[in-house]
Amino acid sequence: MKAAGFRFLRARCVAEALALKAEHGEDARFIAGGQSLVPALNLRLLEPRALIDIAGLPELTGIRVERGRLVIGALTRHAALTGDPLVAAHAPLLLEALPYVAHAAIRNRGTFGGSIALADPAAEWPACCLALDATMVLTGPHAEGERRVPATEFFRGLYATALGPDDLLLRVEIPCQPAGTRNAALELARRHGDFAIVGVAATASDRELKDARIAFFGVADRPMRFAEVERALAVEGVSAAAEALARQVDPPADLYHSAATKRHLAGVLLRRAVDRLRGAA
Amino acid sequence: MDEEIELAFTLNGKAVRRRVPVRLHAVDLLREVFGLSGPRVACEHGICGACTLRVDGQLARGCLLLAPQLEGTDVWTIEGLTATGEIADLQNEFHARNAMQCGWCTAGMLITAAEILDAPAPMDRQAIREHLSGNYCRCTGYQAIVDAVEATRQARAAGRSAA
C-alpha cells in the first residue's frame, strides 16, 4: 500500500523540532530513520498530517564517553555501532546484540534511539538498555529542560515508554562497563534478522555470576529482568535459575508459538547465555 | 492535493532535479517518475528486499525511504550498477546457474550481494545466507543464488591474489 498524504517538515535543531511538534500537535510525528514508521505509513496504520524530519539534527548523532558513561545520540544509526572502538571498550554487549538487529539494509538507516523510542517488546536495544542500566535522556516542548529516565522506568508496556506524545529522545547514557565484564546476547528467530521469538541480553562482572543482569525480550509487553532468576543463579546455579524463570515468565503466544513454547525457549536461552557468560561456549 | 517538493539528488551517477509528491516512497519515485523498473514494488513494508537500492554507498530499502529523504543523496539502482560493469561478474554467475526463476527478487539480490563481494575476511555459505537473509526469493532459488555469490567472491579473491 501507499502512505496517505502528509506535509514534510524539516527541523534543523532540537528547538525547531519541538516548536514544530507543538504547532502541529497530535497530527504530527517525528521521523528519523523511518524504518518502523514508514512501514506503518505504507500500511496506513498511521496517517499523520505532518512528518517532522529530525534526521538532520547534528546534536543527536554520535557516540562519545562522558564522565564514565558511554553516550549514544538518539539518531546514531545501528550500523554506526559496527566496530566502534568506544562501544567495544565500554559496552561490548551492544556489539554482541548488533548482528541480530534487523538486516544490513535496515541497520544502515534505522536509528538506535528510534528503536528505543518505539519499544517493540521483541527488539534488542531496549533489553540491552535494561541489562546495562542505561538512562534515557528526553526533552519536551514545555520548557522543563532535559529529563533523565532510567531504563527500569522508561519501558512501560507494549510500545509504551516514558516519552510523552510531544517528547523527543535525545540520547542514551550507559555506565561504562569495567574491563573483563562478561556479556551474552542471544536470540531465536524464524529468519535471521527478524524480530526475536525470544531473546536475552545479559551481563556480569565475572564468571561467578553473583551479579548477573539478565534481560529477556519477546517474553512480555516490554523487556524484563527477573530478580528471582538472577538471585537463584547467584546462589544455587543455572538449574534453579531456569526453574525460577519457568515460574516467573508468562509470555504471550504469537501467531506461530504458544506461551508454553516461548517459556521453554526462554529457558533454553537462559542456559546458553549462562554458558556464554561463564566462557564455556 | 498532495504536497510536493523540489527534490535534487544523484541517480546512477547523474544529477537530477524534479518536483515530486512528498508521500512517494523511493521505489515509486524511481519507477513512476524516472522510469526505472529495476527496483521492484513488492511487500512495501521492508520485509522482502525486492526494492533494495544503494544509497550513499550503503544498502537501503527503497520502500522505507520517502522521496524527501533522498535529498542530496547518491542513489544507485540495478540499471546504474549494470551500466558501470561493477557487478558484471556476479551477473554472469547468476546467469550461468539460472539463479532465478521469476526474477522479481534478482535486482535486490544482486545489489545486496554486491556489498560482500570484496569483503576481505573469508565468508562461508552460512555468512552469505545471513547477509542475504533480508531478501526473499519466493521461487526458493536460494541454493543457486548462494552458489553464484560464493563463486564470484572466490573468483575476485583469486584475481586479487594473482595480481
Side-chain angles (χ1 to χ4, degrees), chain B residues 126-140:
Chain B
Q126 183 59 31
I128 293 172
R129 283 178 179 277
E130 286 183 9
H131 184 76
L132 294 174
S133 68
N135 293 67
Y136 274 161
C137 164
R138 296 288 74 171
C139 308
T140 77

Side-chain angles (χ1 to χ4, degrees), chain A residues 1-8 10 31-33 35 38-39 42 44 51 103-106 108-109 191-192, chain B residues 2-3 22-23 25 28 41 44-47 55 58-61 63-66 68-69 71 130 133-134 136:
Chain A
M1 280 177 62
K2 315 294 180 189
F6 49 79
R7 295 184 61 199
F8 195 87
R10 216 166 246 135
I31 182 166
Q35 300 300 286
V38 178
N42 287 350
R44 299 207 180 188
L51 293 181
H103 307 282
I106 308 274
N108 287 337
R109 306 294 308 187
R191 174 176 71 145
H192 182 86
Chain B
D2 281 340
E3 179 172 276
V22 296
R23 75 184 186 92
H25 58 55
D28 279 347
V41 180
E44 294 193 282
H45 62 289
I47 302 297
V55 179
Q58 295 185 315
L59 297 176
R61 296 274 203 250
C63 73
L64 299 188
L65 280 173
L66 297 167
Q69 294 176 298
E71 177 67 31
E130 286 183 9
S133 68
Y136 274 161

Side-chain angles (χ1 to χ4, degrees), chain A residues 137-189:
Chain A
V137 184
L138 337 173
T139 189
H142 309 299
E144 75 271 47
E146 294 183 357
R147 278 152 47 219
R148 305 172 57 81
V149 184
T152 46
E153 293 166 30
F154 182 82
F155 301 105
R156 297 194 173 171
L158 193 64
Y159 302 108
T161 69
L163 285 161
D166 292 345
D167 289 342
L168 200 54
L169 177 63
L170 299 175
R171 59 186 180 273
V172 176
E173 299 185 359
I174 295 169
C176 288
Q177 307 290 295
T181 300
R182 321 286 302 179
N183 298 289
L186 298 163
E187 74 176 48
L188 297 166

